[in-house]
Amino acid sequence: MARIGLAWMAAAAALLCGCSGDSGQPAGHFGTVTGHVLTAPVCPVERPGMECAPRPVSGASVVALAEDTVRGSTVTDTAGAFSLTLPDGGYVIRATNIGGYASVASQDVVISDRPVQVTLIVDSGIR
């Protein structure tokens, strides 16, 4: 009788823990969003034919938001580049400029089996 009770408890524990083997469900998939954070304008005066290209932002904060909850975060490298690995789904990728002028840029993305690349341009504050 004790063996039947023990076997029943072991089977119940396996079912509750999901430890009974392969359920046939795919494991959670993760994808990558990469990109750059740039700042513009970078020249106080731009003349036709002499535009100043946006510059990379080193150390910018980059977060991935899902329904206003941070699901991933990083900072940009010296070239303004970043990379985040996230579970499949929809996100808002938001970059915040560092330094004296606080500025935010964001873009909606969908993470799936294809890599996603974004360029976010934050305002430099130059006028």
Side-chain angles (χ1 to χ4, degrees), residues 25-94:
Q25 297 294 325
H29 182 269
F30 287 76
T32 302
V33 58
T34 59
H36 287 86
V37 178
L38 306 175
T39 189
V42 294
C43 298
V45 176
E46 289 188 15
R47 296 191 174 109
M50 297 182 72
E51 289 112 22
C52 295
R55 292 188 184 148
V57 179
S58 175
S61 169
V62 180
V63 297
L65 301 165
E67 298 180 15
D68 295 325
T69 301
V70 175
R71 300 294 183 187
S73 65
T74 190
V75 294
T76 58
D77 64 14
T78 56
F82 69 90
S83 178
L84 289 167
T85 300
L86 303 163
D88 286 359
Y91 298 89
V92 174
I93 306 300
R94 181 177 296 159

